Amino acid sequence: MAPSAKHLASWAGLCPGNNESAGKRMAGTVRKGNRWLRTALVEAALSASRSKDSALAARYRRVMRHRGHKKAVIAVAHAILISVYYMLSRQVPYQELGPDYFDQRHAERARRRALQTLERQGYRVTLEPAA
């Protein structure tokens, strides 16, 4: 087994590239890695991105908004590989986190983002907790 999840992602060619010059981070392509594993993971990621109620599909949609389809598929493939590593190393079954896992984890950030969106459209909003 690989020494760490990051090491496995690097070996598979699913870690982000590291291209930095003068302190600026440039667009880095993913590494060349094990093409068979990488192809299988990308295919699984494409399938997972099309599902409706899963954390992987939600991850795809979040990354897709800002980075595009290809980067989002690689991000989901990376997430699958990291999940498989931890499942095998800790001997635990897969547990689906759900499509709103990220929003629940970062509820304050989601609330602030929604408020800013409404304020940009010209609304003044005050929040009151629901009963």
Side-chain angles (χ1 to χ4, degrees):
M1 186 149 260
S4 70
K6 291 179 181 180
H7 188 269
L8 179 62
S10 177
W11 176 77
L14 288 173
C15 62
N18 186 16
N19 184 11
E20 188 174 321
S21 176
K24 288 186 74 175
R25 299 185 106 197
M26 310 296 188
T29 59
V30 290
R31 301 169 41 100
K32 289 181 182 177
N34 186 312
R35 67 177 142 167
W36 305 109
L37 176 61
R38 182 174 161 172
T39 302
L41 286 168
V42 166
E43 199 166 319
L46 282 166
S47 176
S49 69
R50 290 189 193 99
S51 67
K52 291 190 188 270
D53 296 329
S54 75
L56 294 171
R59 177 162 182 79
Y60 171 82
R61 288 189 296 272
R62 265 195 331 273
V63 176
M64 169 68 182
R65 244 182 287 162
H66 301 286
R67 305 263 186 246
H69 171 73
K70 289 184 179 181
K71 298 250 185 194
V73 169
I74 294 296
V76 172
H78 181 267
I80 291 172
L81 183 63
I82 299 303
S83 298
V84 168
Y85 175 84
Y86 284 116
M87 287 187 309
L88 292 175
S89 65
R90 296 176 181 168
Q91 306 267 320
V92 294
Y94 177 71
Q95 185 177 5
E96 176 59 42
L97 300 172
D100 59 344
Y101 172 73
F102 180 79
D103 293 334
Q104 288 175 352
R105 203 168 152 207
H106 304 287
E108 181 60 34
R109 187 185 307 169
R111 196 176 304 115
R112 249 186 289 124
R113 192 179 319 119
L115 280 173
Q116 287 173 351
T117 303
L118 285 170
E119 286 172 356
R120 263 189 254 121
Q121 293 176 359
Y123 293 99
R124 187 174 308 138
V125 181
T126 55
L127 293 179
E128 296 176 11

